[in-house]
Amino acid sequence: MFPRPIQTMSPTAQRTYKIVLPIMLILWLLPLLGVAMTSVRPSGDLAAGNYFGIPSRLAFENYADVFRNSPLAQYLWNSFRITIPVMIGAVALSCLTGFALAVYKFRLSLLVFFMFVAGNFVPFQILMVPVRDLTVDLGLYNTITGLALFHIAFQTGFCTLFMRNFIKALPRELIEAARVEGVTEWQIFWHIVLPLVRPAIAALSVLVFTFIWNDYFWAMVLTTGASTQPVTAGLNSLNGQWIAAWHLVSAGSILAALPPVLMFFMMQRHFIAGLTLGAVK
């Protein structure tokens, strides 16, 4: 069921593994390396057709030009204004719904849980027209609030599945003992359950932050202007009508990728602990 540890394989297999692994790693990182090289390539190189060769010089000024010649700072600010409230809202709601579905037994609990799970299997393209029409009718089209509320609603299903499974794995004797002592349900949730699932909350926060920050589809569907578009949609505007400024697009892409990377490294210890929580008894 699980792959064998490399140490248990034959010497030939171990040598092959050590040779193939760096090659596959380089191939996997090749697009990122290409974007990084283009981000410091002068525009003259691109105009001369030097797309893949060694840059004539390292044009680090591209990173300053992308702020001077485009509203990239506004796009980044919009992404933070969307991603952080969505992360907080989706994780908070999923902790409440996950607690309710994991602890309480009621007649329609399985149906409610199925509805949360089933929403994750609906293709985005099917929801595009009704969601857009709904935001227009509510006056939320092309607004930060509309895009954030949609993401909170859609991400809560996955987050509920995530949190419900972690909370359900907790020893039920802890909750029963607290009830015997007269602790209220809200105090059980706040003082017993939440501290125990803190690594899971951290892991889920990293996942939601990455999902929402990297969203492109709904950013293009529900926003249209520089005042509301996040950075994923705004990068497309760095290309002019007649000239593709790929050096600026690449520089903007590198800058746009930094917040999720920094978020992961800051929360790495909690992220790994959350993913492995409950792996062993």
Side-chain angles (χ1 to χ4, degrees):
M1 181 176 178
F2 298 100
R4 291 171 54 194
I6 188 64
Q7 294 82 359
T8 63
M9 296 184 180
S10 64
T12 302
Q14 294 186 34
R15 286 193 296 269
T16 303
Y17 176 82
K18 293 177 181 179
I19 294 173
V20 172
L21 181 62
I23 295 175
M24 297 303 298
L25 181 61
I26 292 174
L27 291 176
W28 185 72
L29 291 175
L30 202 57
L32 179 61
L33 295 175
V35 172
M37 289 293 291
T38 304
S39 70
V40 294
R41 194 183 299 275
S43 59
D45 285 12
L46 297 174
N50 182 14
Y51 300 110
F52 304 105
I54 302 298
S56 59
R57 63 182 181 85
L58 296 180
F60 290 105
E61 65 270 14
N62 290 342
Y63 287 91
D65 290 341
V66 75
F67 283 104
R68 287 195 295 263
N69 302 331
S70 72
L72 182 66
Q74 180 65 45
Y75 293 137
L76 290 170
W77 174 236
N78 292 342
S79 289
F80 281 111
R81 291 169 62 196
I82 295 168
T83 304
I84 294 177
V86 170
M87 179 184 69
I88 296 174
V91 172
L93 286 175
S94 65
C95 287
L96 293 170
T97 54
F99 175 76
L101 293 173
V103 174
Y104 302 121
K105 302 297 182 181
F106 51 95
R107 184 176 300 177
L108 298 178
S109 60
L110 290 179
L111 177 61
V112 173
F113 181 61
F114 173 78
M115 291 176 63
F116 276 107
V117 175
N120 297 305
F121 297 97
V122 179
F124 287 165
Q125 293 80 359
I126 295 177
L127 299 174
M128 180 176 65
V129 174
V131 168
R132 181 189 178 278
D133 291 344
L134 178 62
T135 56
V136 171
D137 294 338
L138 295 176
L140 296 175
Y141 181 70
N142 195 31
T143 64
I144 296 291
T145 302
L147 184 57
L149 288 176
F150 168 77
H151 279 309
I152 291 175
F154 200 82
Q155 291 295 324
T156 299
F158 165 76
C159 295
T160 297
L161 172 64
F162 190 94
M163 291 305 305
R164 182 256 187 190
N165 291 338
F166 277 104
I167 295 174
K168 196 172 182 63
L170 297 178
R172 191 167 182 85
E173 291 78 7
L174 291 174
I175 298 175
E176 297 297 338
R179 287 172 175 168
V180 170
E181 295 294 331
V183 180
T184 65
E185 297 298 316
W186 174 254
Q187 290 174 329
I188 291 174
F189 170 75
W190 188 259
H191 295 289
I192 297 177
V193 173
L194 283 188
L196 291 175
V197 297
R198 189 176 300 169
I201 294 174
L204 185 59
S205 299
V206 174
L207 292 175
V208 173
F209 185 95
T210 304
F211 292 161
I212 305 305
W213 185 275
N214 292 331
D215 171 68
Y216 176 75
F217 181 82
W218 291 111
M220 293 296 295
V221 171
L222 299 180
T223 58
T224 58
S227 61
T228 56
Q229 281 188 327
V231 68
T232 49
L235 285 174
N236 187 52
S237 66
L238 299 184
N239 282 328
Q241 184 176 3
W242 309 109
I243 300 175
W246 293 116
H247 59 302
L248 297 183
V249 174
S250 298
S253 300
I254 295 295
L255 292 172
L258 290 179
V261 173
L262 294 176
M263 176 73 172
F264 172 78
F265 281 109
M266 287 190 299
M267 304 290 289
Q268 182 179 11
R269 179 170 61 89
H270 302 288
F271 180 77
I272 295 175
L275 293 182
T276 57
L277 183 65
V280 294
K281 295 291 186 180

